[in-house]
Amino acid sequence: MIERYDRNIKIPLKDENDCIILPPKTLEFKLQNIPEGWTPCQHPEGALYFFHETKKIYTDAYLCNPQIFEELTSFEVQLKAYADDQNIEIPDDAELVLELQENGEGSNYWMYYYVHHPTRSLFWLHEHDITWATSELLGKPDYSHLQHEITRYYWIHWENFPHGHILPPDVIEELMGILLHAVTDQLTSPTSTILYSVDDLERMLNIARNARNLPHSPYTTCTITRLLHLFIHAWFLNYHGQHGARLNRDQSVHGVSKHPRTYLIRILAPLLFNAPMVHLRALEKIWVDQCMCHQPWAVFIEKLKSEWEEFILYGTVLLNANVAFLAIPSVDEGNGIRTPSQIASYISIVASIGSIIIGLLLVRQYRVRPRDTVEEAAVFLARRSHPTRGVETLAILYSLPYALLLWAMVTFLLAFSLECFTTDDRVAIWIAAAAWTVTGFLIVWCIYSAWEDSQGPAWKRVLRALRRGLTQVREQNRVMLAKLLRTPAVNQVVDCC
């Protein structure tokens, strides 16, 4: 396709002694050496392209260069000759796009595609490998499914070459209908596959209304067609119109939305207060089949940044509390021997500093490189995703500020408790014990309630976990016995047991 944004054409610097002299009564400033019949066009974004109205040909090639124009003319003649030889009838209203590419060895080669307006599609005279258009899919698309992506590139063609194209009124009405449904779906469904927020969709709808009331121009053509191909591409990624289309953004159409939990996260999750599991479930709902919607990702990252900033503040407060605790004369007796309460406080200080530093690094990372677009976020998650672990390492990383802060809090409470319970004052010990008992009960009750609300009754989950564990142990013993004895009868023995 057109690689307009990757050409890297370099404009030479002017010399200090260069002078530009205008002849008398110069009223027009046009390109020089334009071939006959060709019209230079300025894209609304600024790019230069050429259009031949009679032949219906568009090209980004710089036709003011006689050599390039000669190559283009030769390639056009070759295409017509091939169509005649193969008895391929090219529709009269078909448009031809010719694209000049460099092979890196100093020579050029030409690419092409035809545009057919009645079917909103592109076509080629030769067999064409369309694999490049399906690179974002994990599954093999059906021909009928490819129609969405071909239609998307049809509207991209309109966006790239707006001159000579007049949008029919029904196209703008079609876009407005798409946007109205998108707003409704986003408002009424928590798992909508729509890529954009309600505010963004309402702004798009307002843009479409304004474009409908404006006279035709390349600017309105680019605006409408860009919005159209964005939504059509989402249809393609979500298998719209296919058996098994994705209807919810957290739905995997391939049945691989969640990777089996590896020993890495199974071991680290309890040590990190189960925080990685929370982030992992959130990421797996966002990153499904290597596809994602921007809005849930943006909400997720904003929530994380807010939490990290809070953890930095809490870590700073806890760090000050530890320093103040160590300054108490009864804690540091000055004899050079460190007590258990001092050691626990030192661990709390290290954990607080770790939480602060990691939180600062993560906040800084997502402020400098926020990954605001869908493409940037998708590339980021694809790079952080592992074939077997998925996004487990990313979930662990996101949970570190919270987990380290909790460890800092736990060790500080341990240090404080040791200081309370190692005194000879029994009244103080009993009062502290009573306070700790009440506080501990409230903490356990809070954890139990949160666990029960999110994942059902806790006691049932414990029973299910025990049953799964016993089943796994029994299966492992069965496999082990089968390997040792290597007889079919062992299966009957184990089943009887």
Side-chain angles (χ1 to χ4, degrees):
M1 300 305 292
I2 301 299
E3 297 183 358
R4 178 175 292 172
Y5 298 92
D6 301 319
R7 299 192 190 282
N8 297 322
I9 299 174
K10 296 178 176 60
I11 298 176
L13 299 174
K14 69 175 183 178
D15 190 88
E16 295 181 355
N17 299 323
D18 287 345
C19 294
I20 302 175
I21 307 298
L22 291 179
K25 200 181 179 181
T26 301
L27 301 179
E28 294 182 345
F29 302 84
K30 295 183 178 179
L31 285 174
Q32 303 298 317
N33 302 322
I34 301 174
E36 183 179 356
W38 290 88
T39 303
C41 304
Q42 177 181 307
H43 191 273
E45 289 185 341
L48 171 67
Y49 64 91
F50 293 86
F51 171 51
H52 198 294
E53 186 174 2
T54 304
K55 298 180 179 180
K56 296 184 174 62
I57 300 178
Y58 293 91
T59 182
D60 270 359
Y62 189 60
L63 300 186
C64 296
N65 185 327
Q67 180 181 354
I68 293 177
F69 175 67
E70 183 179 349
E71 290 183 12
L72 180 141
T73 304
S74 174
F75 184 61
E76 177 197 352
V77 171
Q78 292 178 25
L79 284 177
K80 290 183 177 180
Y82 180 82
D84 293 338
D85 292 341
Q86 300 297 321
N87 294 322
I88 300 175
E89 183 178 354
I90 301 175
D92 294 335
D93 59 349
E95 295 175 354
L96 173 62
V97 176
L98 301 177
E99 170 76 356
L100 176 64
Q101 298 282 342
E102 296 182 1
N103 61 6
E105 299 177 358
S107 58
N108 303 326
Y109 65 94
W110 288 86
M111 302 173 66
Y112 77 97
Y113 65 83
Y114 284 92
V115 180
H116 189 234
H117 293 290
T119 58
R120 297 184 180 180
S121 63
L122 312 182
F123 68 93
W124 292 264
L125 303 181
H126 304 75
E127 287 188 353
H128 185 68
D129 185 359
I130 200 69
T131 307
W132 54 270
T134 65
S135 59
E136 296 179 86
L137 296 180
L138 296 180
K140 182 179 180 180
D142 188 77
Y143 270 173
S144 62
H145 185 205
L146 286 174
Q147 180 64 51
H148 287 317
E149 195 69 354
I150 295 297
T151 304
R152 173 205 176 197
Y153 281 103
Y154 170 79
W155 291 120
I156 289 178
H157 165 74
W158 277 63
E159 182 191 357
N160 287 334
F161 305 104
H163 291 82
H165 291 138
I166 299 177
L167 276 174
D170 62 324
V171 172
I172 301 181
E173 293 176 358
E174 178 184 352
L175 174 62
M176 293 178 65
I178 293 172
L179 291 170
L180 280 173
H181 173 265
V183 171
T184 305
D185 195 31
Q186 195 67 273
L187 285 172
T188 57
S189 173
T191 57
S192 171
T193 58
I194 302 301
L195 296 175
Y196 306 99
S197 66
V198 173
D199 291 339
D200 291 337
L201 292 171
E202 288 179 346
R203 284 196 288 266
M204 293 178 186
L205 187 57
N206 188 47
I207 289 172
R209 290 194 185 102
N210 292 335
R212 182 177 59 177
N213 298 327
L214 291 174
H216 165 74
S217 72
Y219 300 94
T220 55
T221 300
C222 281
T223 300
I224 297 300
T225 53
R226 174 175 294 189
L227 294 178
L228 267 174
H229 75 68
L230 288 175
F231 284 93
I232 293 174
H233 184 53
W235 297 350
F236 177 69
L237 296 179
N238 292 315
Y239 292 84
H240 280 207
Q242 301 298 306
H243 185 61
R246 182 183 291 110
L247 305 180
N248 300 298
R249 63 169 174 253
D250 57 356
Q251 170 193 352
S252 172
V253 295
H254 308 295
V256 292
S257 61
K258 295 181 180 179
H259 291 270
R261 303 295 184 247
T262 64
Y263 285 107
L264 174 67
I265 199 165
R266 288 183 181 181
I267 294 172
L268 290 181
L271 298 176
L272 300 178
F273 301 95
N274 210 42
M277 288 297 188
V278 177
H279 294 310
L280 181 59
R281 285 192 290 268
L283 286 170
E284 286 178 340
K285 289 182 179 180
I286 296 172
W287 183 240
V288 180
D289 295 340
Q290 297 186 7
C291 296
M292 65 175 300
C293 294
H294 180 259
Q295 185 193 6
W297 167 257
V299 172
F300 176 72
I301 290 299
E302 286 301 319
K303 181 180 177 182
L304 279 181
K305 287 193 293 186
S306 177
E307 289 181 352
W308 292 333
E309 290 172 355
E310 292 177 0
F311 297 152
I312 293 170
L313 176 61
Y314 300 153
T316 304
V317 173
L318 189 57
L319 182 62
N320 292 333
N322 274 287
V323 173
F325 175 77
L326 292 174
I328 299 175
S330 61
V331 174
D332 187 1
E333 298 178 356
N335 55 9
I337 300 176
R338 297 296 177 239
T339 62
S341 61
Q342 286 179 295
I343 296 174
S345 183
Y346 293 159
I347 297 174
S348 179
I349 290 175
V350 173
S352 299
I353 294 174
S355 177
I356 294 170
I357 292 176
I358 295 176
L360 286 171
L361 290 174
L362 289 172
V363 171
R364 173 69 175 172
Q365 177 185 0
Y366 285 93
R367 280 182 178 171
V368 175
R369 302 182 63 184
R371 301 175 180 90
D372 289 332
T373 65
V374 177
E375 292 78 10
E376 291 175 341
V379 169
F380 170 75
L381 289 177
R383 290 177 178 175
R384 296 297 187 274
S385 182
H386 191 269
T388 57
R389 294 191 299 269
V391 289
E392 286 182 358
T393 52
L394 195 61
I396 293 171
L397 176 64
Y398 288 164
S399 66
L400 287 179
Y402 168 78
L404 288 175
L405 180 63
L406 275 185
W407 275 117
M409 179 63 71
V410 169
T411 51
F412 175 73
L413 293 178
L414 176 63
F416 187 76
S417 300
L418 289 172
E419 189 64 23
C420 290
F421 293 116
T422 55
T423 181
D424 295 331
D425 190 345
R426 293 186 176 274
V427 176
I429 292 175
W430 282 106
I431 294 174
W436 271 117
T437 301
V438 174
T439 304
F441 172 78
L442 294 175
I443 292 173
V444 172
W445 181 36
C446 179
I447 294 174
Y448 175 84
S449 299
W451 191 16
E452 182 175 2
D453 290 342
S454 61
Q455 301 181 12
W459 64 273
K460 289 186 178 181
R461 286 190 52 81
V462 171
L463 285 178
R464 286 196 297 267
L466 289 175
R467 288 173 182 171
R468 285 196 301 267
L470 290 174
T471 303
Q472 291 176 359
V473 170
R474 183 181 178 185
E475 186 64 26
Q476 290 174 359
N477 290 337
R478 178 182 176 182
V479 173
M480 187 178 298
L481 286 172
K483 288 182 179 179
L484 290 174
L485 300 178
R486 296 183 182 279
T487 73
V490 70
N491 294 331
Q492 300 177 0
V493 174
V494 175
D495 289 338
C496 293
C497 296

